[in-house]
């Protein structure tokens, strides 16, 4: 069975949000992509107090200077499509008020006919936490735990009752409800995060840094699920951040998904051996406009299918 393919929606500054998001979403659905995805980058600190992903000395990509709100982007895509699932990889959940996030996701699911995938993570940017008036960065894991609980409560039957640290709902009717239970997928890369995923989530959102690394993490996650008696399958959506260039890139310093479309597809073939359910292919960073993004999406899809992905 072929791996499902999803496409990252245009959120960066080279795109016209109001027209390009619906146009790309419609085109992606027509091409055959089964899901559409957004990511969250709230701001671009200048000067940056920490490197990319918290790594010293690693600069933030210039594209992060202007990233559209993920829920607004998904809403535009929902209005332009009929079948494609609408996912986030990822929403930095602790930057949001739990109740409001839960209600927004429920409303989007109701509006789209039950197509939302709630991909959540804790984030890594100290500056984003400081700007959002969120909980302290050190409490991001506990905050995510409560956000998942609040979402399950708000999405569930009325009356909604919840008594937590961040959120207290004495007894209330909360609508609209999702069309179906919204799947919760988590970004996770260590044992504590894996345990949260196994116990409380429906799926995993790894990033494609190397097939060896992702494969090792996938084995660890499955072993932990077995240890904790989980029998439900774990849905997997591997995020693929592409960098399309004219150069084919040879040698050990070449990053996965960097180079020509043929090289990117060759990397997809390698990662497909891991048995992931779906690839989220994000092409927007290296495309100059929506037309180029759509053309690249069509080429990658066609060649990936021809290669058996």
């Amino acid at each position: 069975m072929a791996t499902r393919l999803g496409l990252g929606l245009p959120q960066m500054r080279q795109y016209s949000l109001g027209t390009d998001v619906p146009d790309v979403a419609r085109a992606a659905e027509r091409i055959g992509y089964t899901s559409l995805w957004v990511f969250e980058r709230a701001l671009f600190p200048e000067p940056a107090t920490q490197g990319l992903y918290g790594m010293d000395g690693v600069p933030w990509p210039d594209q992060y200077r202007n990233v559209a709100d993920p829920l607004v982007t998904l809403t535009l895509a929902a209005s332009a499509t009929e079948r494609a699932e609408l996912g986030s990889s990822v929403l930095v959940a602790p930057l949001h008020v739990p109740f409001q996030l839960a209600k927004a996701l429920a409303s989007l699911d109701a509006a789209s006919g039950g197509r939302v995938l709630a991909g959540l993570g804790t984030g890594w940017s100290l500056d984003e936490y400081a700007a959002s008036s969120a909980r302290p960065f050190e409490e991001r894991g506990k905050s995510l735990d409560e956000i998942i609980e609040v979402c399950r409560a708000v999405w569930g039957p009325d009356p909604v009752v919840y008594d937590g640290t961040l959120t207290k709902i004495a007894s209330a009717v909360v609508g609209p409800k999702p069309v179906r239970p919204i799947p919760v997928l988590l970004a996770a890369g260590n044992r504590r995060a894996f345990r949260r995923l196994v116990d409380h989530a429906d799926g995993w959102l790894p990033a494609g840094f190397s097939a060896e690394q992702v494969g090792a993490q996938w084995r660890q996650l499955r072993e932990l699920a077995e240890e904790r008696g989980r029998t439900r399958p774990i849905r997997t959506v591997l995020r693929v951040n592409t960098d399309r260039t004219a150069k084919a890139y040879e040698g050990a310093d070449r990053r996965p998904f960097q180079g020509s479309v043929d090289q990117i597809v060759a990397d997809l073939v390698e990662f497909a051996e891991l048995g992931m359910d779906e690839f989220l292919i994000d092409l927007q960073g290296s495309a100059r406009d929506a037309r180029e993004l759509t053309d690249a999406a069509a080429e990658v899809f066609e060649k990936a299918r021809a290669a058996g992905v």
Side-chain angles (χ1 to χ4, degrees):
M1 181 177 177
T3 307
R4 291 193 294 269
L5 299 179
L7 183 69
L9 290 166
Q11 294 174 261
M12 298 175 180
R13 64 182 174 186
Q14 68 266 44
Y15 303 105
S16 174
L17 185 64
T19 56
D20 288 348
V21 172
D23 287 351
V24 170
R26 278 190 291 265
E29 193 172 67
R30 184 172 62 250
I31 290 166
Y33 286 93
T34 58
S35 57
L36 302 167
W37 296 82
V38 292
F39 74 105
E40 182 160 36
R41 193 80 286 131
L43 49 73
F44 188 101
E46 199 167 42
T49 57
Q50 64 182 150
L52 184 67
Y53 307 132
M55 297 185 294
D56 291 340
V58 181
W60 289 46
D62 191 62
Q63 298 100 314
Y64 285 1
R65 290 181 180 274
N66 189 323
V67 177
D69 179 86
L71 293 180
V72 170
T73 305
L74 281 182
T75 301
L76 290 167
S79 68
T81 55
E82 298 177 353
R83 301 177 305 279
E85 291 183 297
L86 306 163
S88 53
S89 180
V90 295
L91 286 175
V92 185
L95 301 184
H96 299 262
V97 176
F99 177 81
Q100 292 176 349
L101 178 61
K103 187 172 174 70
L105 289 168
S107 298
L108 180 57
D109 193 73
S112 65
R115 295 190 278 147
V116 170
L117 303 171
L120 309 177
T122 56
W124 51 267
S125 171
L126 297 171
D127 296 281
E128 288 185 332
Y129 271 78
S132 68
S133 301
R135 301 293 294 176
F137 183 77
E138 294 76 16
E139 297 178 12
R140 62 195 184 279
K142 292 181 180 178
S143 297
L144 178 56
D145 289 336
E146 181 160 327
I147 288 166
I148 295 171
E149 292 178 356
V150 171
C151 284
R152 302 286 196 201
V154 168
W155 300 341
D158 294 320
V160 175
V161 177
Y162 187 82
D163 185 12
T165 302
L166 306 175
T167 306
K168 297 185 184 298
I169 308 170
S171 180
V173 175
V174 184
K177 299 295 185 185
V179 172
R180 87 293 191 230
I182 297 175
V184 174
L185 292 77
L186 299 180
N190 58 52
R191 187 172 180 83
R192 179 179 295 180
F194 283 161
R195 181 168 175 167
R196 176 185 296 116
L197 191 159
V198 167
D199 292 348
H200 302 296
D202 302 290
W204 181 40
L205 297 168
F209 294 113
S210 76
E212 182 179 6
Q213 180 189 45
V214 174
Q217 290 181 331
W218 182 217
R219 287 190 296 273
Q220 293 170 15
L221 182 56
R222 286 179 293 177
E223 290 170 0
L224 182 61
E226 185 176 357
E227 288 175 16
R228 300 188 65 78
R230 175 170 174 145
T231 57
R232 290 184 298 121
I234 296 173
R235 180 171 179 174
T236 52
V237 182
L238 178 73
R239 183 177 185 91
V240 175
N241 294 321
T242 67
D243 183 9
R244 294 181 306 108
T245 67
K247 186 177 180 181
Y249 283 95
E250 300 292 341
D253 61 341
R254 188 189 68 80
R255 300 188 304 274
F257 313 111
Q258 178 188 43
S260 66
V261 168
D262 288 339
Q263 180 60 64
I264 290 168
V265 171
D267 290 339
L268 287 173
V269 171
E270 179 183 359
F271 276 75
E273 296 178 1
L274 300 176
M276 299 284 105
D277 296 315
E278 185 168 355
F279 290 135
L280 183 194
I281 303 172
D282 197 333
L283 298 156
Q284 66 175 306
S286 56
R288 290 172 293 185
D289 53 33
R291 185 183 188 91
E292 185 173 310
L293 172 57
T294 301
D295 289 346
E299 184 179 5
V300 169
F301 187 92
E302 179 182 356
K303 290 187 175 182
R305 288 298 187 238
V309 176

